[in-house]
Amino acid sequence: MSVTEAGATIWLTGLPSAGKTTIAHELAGRLRAAGHRVEVLDGDEIREFLSAGLGFSREDRHTNVQRIGFVAELLAANGVKALVPVIAPYADSREAVRGRHKSEGTAYLEVHVATPVEVCSVRDVKGLYAKQAAGEISGLTGVDDPYEAPTAPDLRIESHTQTVQESAAALFALLTERGLA
């Protein structure tokens, strides 16, 4: 099997507006240009289509992450690089996804997009931090709901100190180092 035929799940976890999706799309372009099959499993799209009806309780968040992990593993087992920019705030949920990949013999990398909440709240791509500050919503990950940062990710990206292209290049380098790109 060539490197371009090897599947893997690359899970990008971090706070809302950390840059996960932007980095995933930049990496997807690089991988496609190199001949890889790639899918981006965006958390917002998954919530709309695969996890409609789930709320934001700990249990619902866990169910959502497990569903995404199942689809990612299925894609990766079939030769696709599944890029997964999803908050996945709880360590045990992410660990369950990693365990599923391990038991299936499927490559899995956890990437922490470690952008400080102060930077995320300024970026506020979807206006969530403003809504939370105005009292319109509650349960915002990293503000009034917990985010359990990975203690030993395969890669930590400080997106606030480098460009999107530099972040994607660091991730591409890791995939190359692991024999996946």
Side-chain angles (χ1 to χ4, degrees):
M1 177 184 333
S2 74
V3 169
T4 57
E5 294 170 330
T9 293
I10 299 92
W11 196 287
L12 295 92
T13 179
L15 296 173
S17 296
K20 302 176 298 297
T21 302
T22 304
I23 294 167
H25 283 290
E26 179 70 22
L27 177 62
R30 289 175 185 243
L31 288 168
R32 285 187 185 108
H36 297 268
R37 293 174 31 200
V38 180
E39 288 294 334
V40 177
L41 299 179
D42 180 80
D44 292 332
E45 291 175 0
I46 296 289
R47 273 212 173 259
E48 182 179 349
F49 297 107
L50 187 63
S51 294
L54 289 180
F56 292 90
S57 68
R58 183 178 180 100
E59 296 77 23
D60 282 357
R61 289 178 192 255
H62 179 78
T63 298
N64 184 50
V65 168
Q66 297 317 296
R67 287 178 183 175
I68 298 168
F70 174 80
V71 172
E73 195 282 323
L74 198 60
L75 288 168
N78 286 282
V80 175
K81 300 294 187 306
L83 309 182
V84 187
V86 174
I87 296 167
Y90 301 112
D92 61 343
S93 295
R94 295 190 306 267
E95 194 52 43
V97 171
R98 179 188 296 275
R100 173 177 185 73
H101 281 72
K102 185 175 181 177
S103 71
E104 297 295 328
T106 307
Y108 177 88
L109 299 174
E110 183 178 71
V111 178
H112 181 204
V113 182
T115 309
V117 70
E118 299 78 22
V119 174
C120 294
S121 66
V122 170
R123 289 180 181 171
D124 205 8
V125 178
K126 299 171 201 149
L128 297 174
Y129 293 93
K131 287 179 181 176
Q132 191 278 336
E136 296 172 25
I137 64 169
S138 63
L140 181 60
T141 301
V143 178
D144 61 351
D145 211 53
Y147 176 74
E148 299 169 356
T151 55
D154 295 284
L155 179 66
R156 187 175 317 279
I157 293 176
E158 308 274 340
S159 75
H160 56 293
T161 66
Q162 60 192 29
T163 66
V164 171
Q165 293 74 21
E166 289 169 335
S167 296
L171 192 39
F172 192 89
L174 175 66
L175 290 170
T176 301
E177 175 187 307
R178 301 278 173 96
L180 297 167

